[in-house]
Amino acid sequence: MKKKRILSGAQPSGLLHIGNYFGMIKRMIDFQDSSDLFCFIANYHSLTSISNKEELEKNTFNAFSDLLALGLDSEKSTVWVQSHVPAVTELTWILSNFTSVGLMQRSTSYKDKVAHGLIPNMGLFSYPVLMASDILSFQSDIVPVGKDQKQHLEMTRDIAIKFNNTHGPVFTIPEIDIDESSEIIFGIDGKKMSKSYNNTIPIFGSEEYMKNQIMNIVTDSAGLNEPKDTDTPLFNMYTLFLNDDEKNELKDRYATPGLKYMSIKNELYEHIMDYFSKQRALKQHSLDNPDDIFDLMDIGRKKAEVIASDTLSNVKKAIGMV
Ligand code: TRP
C-alpha cells in the first residue's frame, strides 16, 4: 500500500524547547517510517513577525538544523526551507482567487495576532492562503497540527474544494489531524510552556542556562517530612522522560516523607542532558560545519521542488495559463 503523505511546517522562532519536542516534533519523527513525511521551515510566514534580517537568517538555519539534530532524516523524508521552493508562492497567487475575503476576515488567528500588536498588513491577512499552498502543493493526505491551526486547515480544505469544483480534481483534500491526546506541557512557572511566556527549558541551550531554568521550576512549600503533590510542573516535566515503571517509582518517592525538591531538580537536569546528549552533539556539529546544513537544505529543496512544480504545472494547465 502506498504510504500516506504527511506534511507539517514550523515557523523559525528561536530556541526549541522540550514542550515543542514532546508536543509535535517527536510525533513527526515517529511518523518517518510509516509514512511519506514532508516537513519544512516556514520562513515566509515569519515575515509577518520578524523584520530583522540577521534574526530571520539565524532562526531559519537553527530551526532547520534543530529538526535534523532531533532526528528528522533528509534521506527518508523531505525536509526543506519554504522560500527555497518558489512554486509554492506562485501557487499562492492562484489560490487567492479561490479564497473568499469573508473567510479570511473570520480568521481568529489573524484577529488574535493583530490584538497582540502584529502589523495588520496583507502578508498577515493572506497568511492562510500561503499555508494552503504549502499543503496543496505537495498533495498532502494528512496534516498534523496543534489546535491553534485547526481553522487554517479548514480554510485550506475550503480553498481546495472550491478549486476542484471549478477545474476538476487537481488537489488532494487534506485530512486534519489534531492530536487531542497530547497533554499540556507545563513551563517552569506552571503555565503552558511557551516561548512567549519565557518559561521554557530549551533543548539546545547552554548547560548553565538549562540548569538555571530547571532550578527555577516553581515548587510548593511542603515541609521535608510531608508527602509531595504530583500535580505540579516539576513532576509533570520529569515524567516526560520516564517509562511507566519509573513514573510509579517517582510517584512513590513523592508520597514518602523526606523528598527534597532540590535533588529531584538535579536528577531532572541529568535526565534531560542524558536524553538529548546525542542531539546536542549533532547540533554542535552543525554549528561547527554550517556547510553540511546548507547541503542538506539543497537536498530537501530538490526533492520538494519536483513535486511542487508538478502540482503547479497541473494547476496552470487546468486554469488556462498558456
Ligand atoms: N502556521 C503554522 C504555525 O505557525 C506553520 C505552518 C505554515 C504550517 N505552513 C504550514 C503548518 C503548513 C502545517 C502545514 O504553526
Side-chain angles (χ1 to χ4, degrees):
M1 208 178 76
K2 199 161 161 280
K3 286 182 178 176
K4 291 264 190 208
R5 183 167 294 166
I6 297 187
L7 174 138
S8 200
Q11 284 196 53
S13 54
L15 287 182
L16 282 183
H17 53 75
I18 62 172
N20 300 131
Y21 181 76
F22 289 101
M24 187 53 140
I25 298 171
K26 188 165 180 299
R27 210 168 150 229
M28 297 301 281
I29 292 165
D30 294 341
F31 277 135
Q32 282 195 117
D33 293 312
S34 58
S35 64
D36 185 16
L37 181 68
F38 280 63
C39 197
F40 67 96
I41 304 302
N43 58 338
Y44 269 139
H45 279 116
S46 288
L47 283 182
T48 56
S49 58
I50 305 180
S51 55
N52 180 298
K53 163 188 184 282
E54 281 80 23
E55 185 185 347
L56 188 52
E57 279 175 1
K58 188 169 142 239
N59 284 2
T60 305
F61 179 90
N62 275 325
F64 186 86
S65 55
D66 287 354
L67 288 182
L68 297 185
L70 289 173
L72 278 193
D73 176 335
S74 38
E75 296 291 328
K76 262 191 224 165
S77 305
T78 305
V79 193
W80 76 102
V81 174
Q82 186 183 37
S83 66
H84 294 176
V85 182
V88 173
T89 35
E90 192 174 340
L91 180 65
T92 307
W93 177 256
I94 300 172
L95 295 180
S96 304
N97 295 280
F98 298 83
T99 310
S100 89
V101 170
L103 180 71
M104 295 293 104
Q105 281 168 334
R106 288 192 293 278
S107 165
T108 52
S109 150
Y110 175 76
K111 286 186 252 184
D112 240 44
K113 285 174 178 169
V114 173
H116 281 90
L118 289 199
I119 301 161
N121 58 31
M122 286 308 293
L124 192 64
F125 190 64
S126 322
Y127 184 110
V129 193
L130 177 57
M131 202 165 146
S133 187
D134 288 328
I135 295 166
L136 302 177
S137 288
F138 298 96
Q139 307 286 2
S140 317
D141 297 305
I142 303 174
V143 184
V145 284
K147 282 195 193 88
D148 61 321
Q149 298 296 317
K150 188 164 176 230
Q151 194 187 26
H152 286 150
L153 270 288
E154 287 162 356
M155 292 169 170
T156 299
R157 286 172 56 89
D158 207 84
I159 294 168
I161 290 169
K162 204 175 273 174
F163 185 97
N164 284 0
N165 284 343
T166 314
H167 295 293
V170 174
F171 292 124
T172 304
I173 310 295
E175 271 171 51
I176 311 173
D177 176 17
I178 310 267
D179 184 8
E180 303 286 357
S181 70
S182 68
E183 290 171 53
I184 292 185
I185 294 159
F186 296 107
I188 62 171
D189 56 358
K191 283 196 279 191
K192 180 182 180 242
M193 190 180 290
S194 160
K195 203 186 68 143
S196 35
Y197 296 148
N198 228 334
N199 63 358
T200 72
I201 298 191
I203 300 171
F204 299 109
S206 70
E207 287 176 24
E208 194 192 345
Y209 182 66
M210 292 173 71
K211 181 132 206 175
N212 195 42
Q213 289 294 88
I214 292 168
M215 291 306 151
N216 281 323
I217 297 173
V218 288
T219 49
D220 52 41
S221 52
L224 182 62
N225 289 320
E226 290 172 59
K228 308 290 189 294
D229 185 2
T230 56
D231 190 16
T232 46
L234 180 58
F235 184 86
N236 172 275
M237 214 177 285
Y238 199 160
T239 55
L240 294 171
F241 300 91
L242 303 179
N243 63 32
D244 284 347
D245 287 345
E246 292 166 333
K247 215 184 272 182
N248 286 332
E249 217 171 283
L250 186 65
K251 230 180 237 166
D252 288 345
R253 289 175 62 199
Y254 263 65
T256 312
L259 180 97
K260 288 196 186 112
Y261 285 133
M262 191 61 181
S263 18
I264 296 291
K265 288 181 174 180
N266 281 320
E267 280 174 39
L268 175 60
Y269 174 74
E270 296 302 329
H271 262 83
I272 292 181
M273 295 313 268
D274 185 49
Y275 188 95
F276 290 114
S277 67
K278 198 174 117 227
Q279 292 90 327
R280 288 173 56 90
L282 279 170
K283 169 74 189 199
Q284 192 52 50
H285 182 86
S286 317
L287 290 175
D288 298 338
N289 303 275
D291 284 345
D292 288 4
I293 293 299
F294 291 119
D295 288 346
L296 292 170
M297 281 183 184
D298 218 42
I299 291 178
R301 174 185 62 78
K302 285 189 184 125
K303 289 208 275 185
E305 201 161 58
V306 174
I307 299 169
S309 303
D310 186 53
T311 303
L312 180 63
S313 124
N314 289 336
V315 169
K316 286 168 94 171
K317 255 187 245 154
I319 60 175
M321 288 295 131
V322 290

